[in-house]
Amino acid sequence: MAKINGWRIFFDNHASKYMDESFTTNTVNEVDFIEEELKLPVGSNILDIGYGTGRYSIELARRGYKVTGLDISENMLFEAKRLSKSEGLEVDFIHADATEFILDKSFDACICLCEGAFGLLSMGEDPFERDEKILKNIYSVIKPDSRFILTALNGIRMIRQYNESDIDQGKFDPIGITEIYPLSKILPDAPTDLLIKEKGFLATELRKMFENTGFKVENIWGGTAGAWNRERLKMDEIELMIVGKKFRLNDKLEVKNNNF
């Protein structure tokens, strides 16, 4: 029997309303930021993991980049294709799971933003194993020295939100820094017994996960959507941002030696 993915159900139901969310209103400024960080010539190939309705992919395509987007939701795919077609833009939107995808091309950079895939777990999924699979898949399809920008939920904020009673009730796992709740909390028509999880990350966790999968960390900042500003992570900020670069062989040797 196939495993039920609660997040796929949520995003399929939320696709038509996604662009009404307050955090989607600052796309142009956010893509300005992405361009400054990636430092790529127009025409470069960019991979967008968890593209949603394609707001970053489409804005990057407007600016002349070649974009491939990957998302688990078929209805998000439909919305993204509809929006890109309405502007006459060519974006290669793909329906796939970020933990399992295989692509036959290589990319000059990757973005995975606003919890499009990272940290969104079904019950039974290990938070570290699952997201490390995503990192390994990204590593396998981007070129050496290519940059990768990720935003993830801020684990410090998550820890500060919960107490011992929440842990006893199964609402929060302090070992995995993971929220656990019924899908019906965010999708009222969903079965009340279908649980989903959201993983919060400490910067140290992400740094180690990046290095373990072949990325050299360049910067870690606060990364809440609409407020990207290259400033230190604040304790109650919703998201953090990590910018990494795919190792070259010499970089790998240098990091390994520095860890002794």
Side-chain angles (χ1 to χ4, degrees):
M1 184 175 178
K3 179 177 65 177
I4 296 174
N5 188 310
W7 286 108
R8 186 196 302 256
I9 295 170
F10 169 73
F11 286 119
D12 276 344
N13 280 271
H14 193 59
S16 63
K17 300 180 281 291
Y18 179 80
M19 290 305 292
D20 296 329
E21 296 279 5
S22 60
F23 62 79
T24 66
T25 60
N26 205 32
T27 303
V28 171
N29 288 340
E30 289 172 345
V31 174
D32 288 344
F33 183 101
I34 291 168
E35 280 194 294
E36 291 168 7
E37 285 301 308
L38 296 183
K39 303 177 177 68
L40 292 174
V42 171
S44 297
N45 288 291
I46 299 174
L47 177 62
D48 183 1
I49 300 287
Y51 56 75
T53 56
R55 64 191 184 100
Y56 294 127
S57 293
I58 290 170
E59 181 61 28
L60 286 164
R62 285 191 193 110
R63 302 182 187 204
Y65 298 97
K66 298 173 184 176
V67 186
T68 297
L70 185 147
D71 200 281
I72 198 171
S73 166
E74 291 182 272
N75 288 351
M76 287 290 195
L77 171 68
F78 173 82
E79 289 295 320
K81 285 188 172 182
R82 181 182 65 81
L83 291 169
S84 60
K85 186 177 180 180
S86 70
E87 292 195 39
L89 295 169
E90 206 172 301
V91 182
D92 185 14
F93 288 118
I94 298 170
H95 176 233
D97 188 327
T99 66
E100 300 174 354
F101 73 88
I102 299 172
L103 297 174
D104 60 358
K105 62 187 294 187
S106 58
F107 298 88
D108 302 299
C110 178
I111 57 174
C112 182
L113 305 168
C114 295
E115 287 68 71
F118 211 77
L120 304 182
L121 314 171
S122 294
M123 293 305 294
E125 288 187 315
D126 180 271
F128 301 101
E129 288 180 4
R130 178 192 177 275
D131 291 327
E132 198 163 86
K133 285 181 183 178
I134 296 176
L135 294 179
K136 288 177 179 177
N137 282 343
I138 292 169
Y139 180 88
S140 71
V141 296
I142 65 172
K143 300 171 185 176
D145 288 331
S146 296
R147 285 188 170 84
F148 168 39
I149 306 175
L150 170 76
T151 58
L153 292 174
N154 177 15
I156 297 174
R157 176 180 183 269
M158 193 176 286
I159 291 167
R160 284 159 64 90
Q161 286 182 308
Y162 290 95
N163 55 40
E164 294 296 333
S165 175
D166 294 321
I167 295 170
D168 292 340
Q169 294 175 57
K171 296 179 181 179
F172 182 66
D173 169 18
I175 305 300
I177 314 179
T178 307
E179 295 178 311
I180 305 164
Y181 51 88
L183 177 60
S184 57
K185 179 180 177 180
I186 55 175
L187 187 64
D189 294 335
T192 56
D193 61 346
L194 181 55
L195 302 181
I196 54 176
K197 301 190 290 183
E198 287 190 87
K199 162 80 176 134
F201 291 89
L202 302 180
T204 49
E205 286 181 298
L206 283 178
R207 179 182 292 278
K208 183 56 66 176
M209 290 174 73
F210 264 51
E211 291 176 352
N212 285 348
T213 48
F215 293 97
K216 182 177 181 180
V217 174
E218 295 186 323
N219 287 295
I220 300 176
W221 294 305
T224 301
W228 298 346
N229 53 17
R230 298 181 181 87
E231 292 186 0
R232 69 161 179 83
L233 175 67
K234 298 177 178 64
M235 293 184 73
D236 288 319
E237 195 161 4
I238 296 171
E239 296 165 288
L240 58 83
M241 173 183 286
I242 183 164
V243 180
K245 181 189 285 189
K246 182 172 178 174
F247 279 129
R248 295 170 299 172
L249 179 59
N250 289 342
D251 289 335
K252 285 187 179 181
L253 292 172
E254 180 183 334
V255 169
K256 184 177 180 180
N257 290 334
N258 288 340
N259 286 337
F260 282 119

